[in-house]
Amino acid sequence: MGSTAAQRGYPAHWEADVVLRDGAAAQLRPVWPEDASRLQRMHAAQSESSRYLRYFSYKAKLSDAELDRFTDVDHADRVCLVVIVTDRSGESEIIGVGGYDRIDGTEEAEVAFYIADAHQGRGLGSILLEHLAAAGRERGLARFSAEVLPANRKMLSVFHEAGYELTRSFEEDVIMVSFSIDPNDRSRQVMESREHRAEARSVSQLLAPEQVAVIGNSRLYGSVGYHLLHHLMEARYTGGVHSVSPEAYEPDDEEGPRRSMLEHIEPQIDLAVIAVEPDQMRQAVTDCGRAGVRGVLIVTETDGERQRELVRLARGYGMRVIGPASMGLISTAPDYRLNASRLPQLPIRGGAGIFSQSASVGLSLTAQSQRRSLGLTAAISAGNRADVSGNDAMQHFEDDAATRAVGIHLESFGNPRKFARIARRLSQAKPVVVSKSEVMGLRVPPGHETRTISAPAAAVDAMLQSSGVIQVANTDSLMDVLQVLATQPVPAGPRLGILTNSPSMGRLLADAAEAEGLIPVRVDTGLCLEGTEEEARAALQHALQEQFDDDALDGVALCLQPTITGVQYDFYRAISQIARQQTKPMVMSLIGVTDPHMPLNFIGNAGPVIEDGALQQGVPVFSSPARSVAVLGKITAYQQWRERGIGTLSIPEGLAGSAAYRTAEERIGSWLPASGTAVLSQQQTAELLGIYGIQLLGAEQIRTADEACEAARRIGYPVALKSTNAYLRQRLDLGGVQLNIEDEADLRRAVAETRRALAPYAGSAAEGQPDLEVQAMAPAGQACTVRALEDPLIGAVISFGISGDAVDLLEDWAYAVPPLTDQDLDELIRGPKAAVKLTGHRGVPAVDLGAVQDVVHRVATLKDNHPEVAELELTPLLASAEGIRVLHATVRLAQPEQRTDSPRRAISKY
């Protein structure tokens, strides 16, 4: 950061690394005064046409006054953002600039862009607009306007295609454009679509290099570089391979010039595999950047500080980074056959794509794929996930027609909201199987740099569940599911046929299937395999075909035990011949296997995929019947989720537009402390909730019986008397609540009785503060609790439960992460086990679930809009057949951390 910028309240949180339309990285930040010379160089290189379209004149040089105005800004009413890249000489250059100037006394600013001619068409204008709009909203702006020459079609298209609702007029030979900068459904869709295309392309380029350089001790047997080079050659990689030994480029003496590691290579390198010592990494990355390398794969481990520096350096040159500490990259595409990994052999071609983080897990997954004969499209090991992440990998797999299913193992989250957003979209097209560490989010793995969560771990599971991914407990289960998805069609429903030559196994399979949510419709246990091998094969094929022909079935589970002679025939080919002609899935299990050389949990009669997107040949075989139907149950549940759809996003009534957001933001800003936290008063809480359409039942805090009687007269009898203690105020059994008080005499008696009952609970109210409150009586109903908190990693997290011991002792909560669809809201309200009380239980009338969903939706909208709301709780929310009443609410404010996902494109910070 420039020294002057540091003195002007420089908004460092506006800095971001972005992926351009062509998949290259770039760095975006607020302008520095020291950028004046860079801006002048950019202007000097522009064509006369570009200068005229920007400045309405053919000026060859920017004046000192203009440079001062563009680079010396206040980051509030005048904002300027620049996109920076490092050229091959190592100099930082501006390739795009955008800024706005507030129109005095208004919430509108005039916006303009200037893109370097050499970088037109890379999406710089749209990226700058997204970031300027986010900055403008933060500074209290509502609209942008611009004067554009009719000939400047590129700039007009930037505004038109951004998804905002434009107003246009023609004045004095210029087109006046104006629009609200509040995000809408269309602008979000546009942003996500552009983000998807750019990030997918960046990963696809890494998996499809024409030229690969291995930088390391490639000639020394036993070195990592040697074996990586060997694996590339053994896989019959179709492109050019170049071996680079860093020692050969060291100067002969300390004073001599140092040569670039890649200077001897004529073709441009697309992928550099770096396997050098940590102290050589910076030079290796620098040489790659100056040589125009597209991306680097770093297999060496390094420390956090050096890791951050490497990513910053690489992105400055436009390169994406996989690693450090990566297992490698694999692509089985016939046009490339890339095995830049520690796996000795290239896996067979198939339909499964795999993403992992640590090298050990990546090696485990790819080795398992080989043992199981599971074909892959690609395997990506992100190592420490310093740059390329699971989000980037999913973007690629979504566009890859050859990938039928995606397997992901997570050890840490960088941007969980973005992960859930991409996973939900991807899961609607193809299944995504996710395994994760049990402590993911609670602690940071070595080498990873991310925040930890403060929300309950169940909130992460809920977020994954709502995104539609198939969650599994470990990597073995992940591979179990993938081997079925890769070889079998997805079941249309839960109706299962069971075929076995063991009656007891038939019963066990049926029980296991029911436990997994499947419905055993047909159980055939009379299969006889005791004749010759040919007779047994014919009997098996006939019985299997009968099951497939049964229209009452959606899938088949086959379990075989050895014959009486102990023989376990190899029927995989015969079974596969029948199964591959069907539109229903099947799974197979073997019991009684004693041969130590016989594989288990694999694809029998496996073969590579010949046509991209087709099912892999073979039948999935498992070591136990329960394991086979557990996989089928998970896939069936996924298909049911996909058929239900994700629901519809909507805005609660009265909250369309930005009026509520801006009003609440103004109030919160006046209440927010500079540091620490602040608990809002009940009056402030009622005001904030009221802005979002949540009405809080009035209550008055009192110290004496006389004050109680005065409050009751204002409120009107009957009233309730409650403790102000958050716990005791709901405990009728502990004397914290007195209900249906009809007159003054009863109220005075209730005050005395409540004080006596609460006497053992010393400290239930702060010294000198009211310890009781009087509130109007609400209709009887089921007490619920709604909570919202700001998690440092996830952002807004909403939880719902039935008040009382269910949540206080048993942690019977349901969780969701906004924004919420109507289906998300329904699942959230029905999620707790005790939620049966809401739908009519033991003769109690069902409550108005629509009213409950509406208030939860409003809470979720409020929380998602305002990260400064650290905690919000409605308790109790009384729900009845007539509607809802909110009896009490608590709101705590705090300065928030920058959220990981926002309506502007950015990749993870190093």
Side-chain angles (χ1 to χ4, degrees):
M1 185 197 308
S3 58
T4 309
Q7 298 169 6
R8 298 288 299 272
Y10 179 81
H13 62 284
W14 290 355
E15 294 180 347
D17 290 346
V18 295
V19 181
L20 306 183
R21 184 179 296 163
D22 58 4
Q27 296 167 333
L28 181 149
R29 60 168 171 78
V31 73
W32 301 343
E34 293 85 348
D35 285 326
S37 59
R38 299 185 183 98
L39 187 57
Q40 188 71 274
R41 287 198 299 272
M42 172 188 159
H43 179 78
Q46 296 288 81
S47 66
E48 286 190 350
S49 173
S50 295
R51 296 172 188 167
Y52 182 78
L53 292 176
R54 170 61 183 89
Y55 296 105
F56 298 7
S57 67
Y58 295 104
K59 59 177 65 182
K61 184 179 180 181
L62 297 175
S63 68
D64 290 344
E66 288 172 321
L67 289 173
D68 286 343
R69 178 167 179 77
F70 294 148
T71 60
D72 191 9
V73 297
D74 61 10
H75 307 296
D77 292 338
R78 287 198 303 116
V79 167
C80 182
L81 303 178
V82 293
V83 181
I84 302 287
V85 296
T86 307
D87 64 21
R88 294 197 180 188
S89 67
E91 293 293 326
S92 295
E93 295 295 342
I94 294 175
I95 62 172
V97 57
Y100 71 70
D101 283 81
R102 184 191 291 267
I103 299 173
D104 290 342
T106 72
E107 294 182 346
E108 184 172 339
E110 187 174 353
V111 66
F113 305 96
Y114 197 29
I115 308 302
D117 288 345
H119 298 274
Q120 296 278 350
R122 302 183 73 190
L124 291 166
S126 60
I127 289 175
L128 283 164
L129 178 57
E130 289 171 14
H131 286 255
L132 283 169
R137 288 191 298 272
E138 183 178 325
R139 298 307 193 212
L141 292 175
R143 298 185 66 81
F144 277 169
S145 60
E147 296 182 4
V148 186
L149 289 172
N152 198 348
R153 295 185 181 90
K154 290 181 180 178
M155 189 51 56
L156 289 171
S157 70
V158 167
F159 294 130
H160 178 72
E161 295 171 5
Y164 298 109
E165 296 183 6
L166 302 182
T167 59
R168 299 172 57 165
S169 61
F170 195 76
E171 299 178 14
E172 298 180 357
D173 298 328
V174 299
I175 297 174
M176 303 295 297
V177 178
S178 176
F179 54 92
S180 167
I181 59 175
D182 288 328
N184 56 51
D185 290 343
R186 174 64 180 153
S187 68
R188 291 188 186 94
Q189 290 172 3
V190 169
M191 185 276 289
E192 291 173 12
S193 176
R194 288 169 168 168
E195 172 190 71
H196 163 71
R197 291 194 299 270
E199 293 176 2
R201 186 168 186 176
S202 71
V203 175
S204 300
Q205 290 174 165
L206 294 171
L207 289 167
E210 299 289 345
Q211 302 288 330
V212 176
V214 179
I215 303 175
N217 293 316
S218 309
R219 303 172 188 172
L220 180 63
Y221 180 83
S223 69
V224 175
Y226 175 92
H227 292 285
L228 289 171
L229 184 66
H230 182 69
H231 297 167
L232 271 168
M233 304 299 291
E234 285 293 304
R236 302 196 305 278
Y237 169 60
T238 61
V241 180
H242 309 269
S243 174
V244 179
S245 179
E247 288 75 14
Y249 297 90
E250 294 295 333
D252 296 332
D253 58 76
E254 293 184 3
E255 302 299 325
R258 186 195 171 282
R259 293 182 296 156
S260 167
M261 297 180 190
L262 304 178
E263 66 177 15
H264 67 291
I265 302 174
E266 290 189 1
Q268 179 170 312
I269 300 299
D270 300 301
L271 175 67
V273 183
I274 298 178
V276 300
E277 294 299 318
D279 59 356
Q280 296 176 310
M281 284 184 183
R282 192 182 194 287
Q283 192 59 57
V285 170
T286 299
D287 287 352
C288 289
R290 293 186 176 184
V293 174
R294 289 183 179 274
V296 294
L297 166 64
I298 303 177
V299 299
T300 315
E301 291 192 31
T302 187
D303 59 65
E305 184 176 348
R306 181 179 281 122
Q307 181 172 287
R308 288 190 293 272
E309 172 62 14
L310 292 175
V311 175
R312 185 201 63 76
L313 188 63
R315 289 178 177 173
Y317 282 109
M319 299 185 294
R320 298 301 305 270
V321 178
I322 295 182
S326 168
M327 182 276 299
L329 272 180
I330 293 173
S331 172
T332 63
D335 291 342
Y336 298 98
R337 298 186 58 83
L338 175 72
N339 183 18
S341 80
R342 291 172 54 186
L343 193 71
Q345 295 177 317
L346 185 73
I348 64 172
R349 181 68 168 167
I354 291 177
F355 172 84
S356 61
Q357 291 172 352
S358 72
S360 298
V361 174
L363 189 59
S364 171
L365 291 174
T366 51
Q368 276 204 61
S369 72
Q370 286 203 332
R371 290 198 307 273
R372 294 172 181 252
S373 299
L374 171 63
L376 303 180
T377 55
I380 303 169
S381 167
N384 291 348
R385 194 184 47 75
D387 181 16
V388 171
S389 68
N391 295 341
D392 298 295
M394 286 193 295
Q395 304 276 35
H396 161 75
F397 287 131
E398 183 177 357
D399 282 356
D400 183 30
T403 300
R404 292 183 56 90
V406 179
I408 297 175
H409 180 76
L410 296 174
E411 296 168 59
S412 70
F413 263 143
N415 189 338
R417 282 168 62 104
K418 183 177 178 180
F419 179 94
R421 169 165 55 84
I422 298 172
R424 174 175 275 198
R425 188 182 67 231
L426 175 57
S427 293
Q428 293 174 74
K430 55 188 73 173
V432 180
V433 191
V434 174
S435 63
K436 64 179 180 67
S437 163
E438 286 296 321
V439 295
M440 189 192 73
L442 302 178
R443 65 180 67 152
V444 180
H448 292 230
E449 296 197 22
T450 185
R451 304 169 186 169
T452 56
I453 64 171
S454 59
V460 175
D461 293 330
M463 183 182 68
L464 292 176
Q465 182 179 350
S466 69
S467 68
V469 304
I470 302 173
Q471 290 189 74
V472 295
N474 49 55
T475 55
D476 288 339
S477 297
L478 184 148
M479 300 303 288
D480 284 351
V481 177
L482 282 182
Q483 76 175 28
V484 175
L485 291 170
T487 59
Q488 305 298 305
V490 174
R495 301 171 303 172
L496 182 68
I498 295 171
L499 177 62
T500 179
N501 61 340
S502 166
S504 60
M505 279 298 108
R507 291 192 298 272
L508 289 173
L509 255 176
D511 291 343
E514 288 181 341
E516 298 295 338
L518 300 172
I519 305 172
V521 173
R522 177 173 176 170
V523 182
D524 294 340
T525 62
L527 178 64
C528 180
L529 303 178
E530 295 300 333
T532 65
E533 183 175 351
E534 287 299 320
E535 292 171 339
R537 180 180 294 106
L540 175 58
Q541 287 186 312
H542 176 74
L544 192 57
Q545 187 65 59
E546 282 192 339
Q547 291 249 343
F548 278 122
D549 290 342
D550 189 341
D551 292 337
L553 304 181
D554 299 311
V556 176
L558 172 65
C559 177
L560 299 181
Q561 68 177 6
T563 65
I564 194 66
T565 61
V567 176
Q568 187 78 269
Y569 292 121
D570 181 351
F571 289 141
Y572 306 129
R573 183 176 181 184
I575 295 168
S576 180
Q577 287 174 342
I578 298 293
R580 69 188 178 194
Q581 302 172 31
Q582 314 301 322
T583 58
K584 302 174 184 178
M586 74 157 292
V587 291
M588 178 180 178
S589 57
L590 299 176
I591 62 169
V593 177
T594 58
D595 184 353
H597 302 293
M598 186 171 182
L600 294 173
N601 304 309
F602 69 107
I603 298 173
N605 192 45
V609 168
I610 305 301
E611 181 181 350
D612 282 353
L615 288 169
Q616 182 182 347
Q617 173 186 299
V619 57
V621 183
F622 295 94
S623 58
S624 74
R627 192 166 179 170
S628 68
V629 293
V631 172
L632 204 56
K634 289 182 180 298
I635 297 173
T636 301
Y638 159 72
Q639 176 62 13
Q640 292 170 336
W641 173 87
R642 193 160 67 174
E643 288 178 349
R644 287 195 306 271
I646 62 174
T648 304
L649 281 171
S650 63
I651 300 172
E653 185 178 350
L655 298 184
S658 61
Y661 164 77
R662 294 185 181 279
T663 301
E665 193 75 356
E666 181 182 342
R667 299 291 192 280
I668 290 171
S670 66
W671 301 329
L672 185 67
S675 61
T677 65
V679 177
L680 298 188
S681 69
Q682 282 298 290
Q683 181 179 350
Q684 292 170 329
T685 299
E687 183 179 0
L688 177 60
L689 294 177
I691 293 170
Y692 279 85
I694 303 170
Q695 300 305 313
L696 191 59
L697 194 63
E700 294 190 29
Q701 295 184 346
I702 58 96
R703 294 180 177 85
T704 66
D706 289 341
E707 289 180 0
C709 293
E710 291 174 6
R713 282 194 291 270
R714 286 190 293 271
I715 293 171
Y717 289 99
V719 296
L721 182 70
K722 300 178 180 181
S723 168
T724 57
N725 179 273
Y727 178 68
L728 295 173
R729 64 180 296 111
Q730 298 185 61
R731 296 303 300 267
L732 188 66
D733 56 332
L734 298 179
V737 187
Q738 298 262 8
L739 302 176
N740 291 310
I741 302 170
E742 298 285 352
D743 53 37
E744 184 173 321
D746 284 346
L747 181 54
R748 291 182 181 277
R749 186 165 47 250
V751 171
E753 290 175 356
T754 302
R755 286 257 162 76
R756 283 196 298 271
L758 297 181
Y761 308 104
S764 62
E767 185 176 352
Q769 295 298 315
D771 61 344
L772 297 176
E773 69 180 23
V774 176
Q775 188 173 50
M777 276 297 300
Q782 175 59 55
C784 306
T785 300
V786 182
R787 286 181 182 169
L789 65 85
E790 181 71 14
D791 182 84
L793 182 60
I794 301 174
V797 177
I798 311 300
S799 52
F800 177 83
I802 304 303
S803 300
D805 289 344
V807 293
D808 293 337
L809 300 179
L810 303 179
E811 296 294 327
D812 183 22
W813 293 98
Y815 300 93
V817 175
L820 305 182
T821 66
D822 54 354
Q823 187 165 295
D824 294 331
L825 285 164
D826 186 65
E827 292 175 355
L828 176 64
I829 302 306
R830 297 176 186 270
K833 293 182 177 65
V836 292
K837 292 183 175 183
L838 302 177
T839 56
H841 183 64
R842 295 185 177 181
V844 177
V847 309
D848 184 349
L849 286 177
V852 177
Q853 290 179 7
D854 179 68
V855 74
V856 173
H857 195 188
R858 293 175 185 277
V859 169
T861 304
L862 186 160
K863 182 67 206 77
D864 202 27
N865 283 348
H866 305 287
E868 302 90 350
V869 177
E871 291 180 11
L872 184 158
E873 179 172 294
L874 308 183
T875 182
L877 181 154
L878 281 185
S880 66
E882 289 73 37
I884 61 97
R885 296 288 189 278
V886 180
L887 273 58
H888 184 74
T890 304
V891 175
R892 184 172 64 85
L893 303 182
Q895 291 288 349
E897 294 190 63
Q898 184 72 14
R899 281 182 173 172
T900 56
D901 200 23
S902 67
R904 57 174 192 153
R905 279 175 281 169
I907 49 180
S908 59
K909 288 293 290 181
Y910 34 81

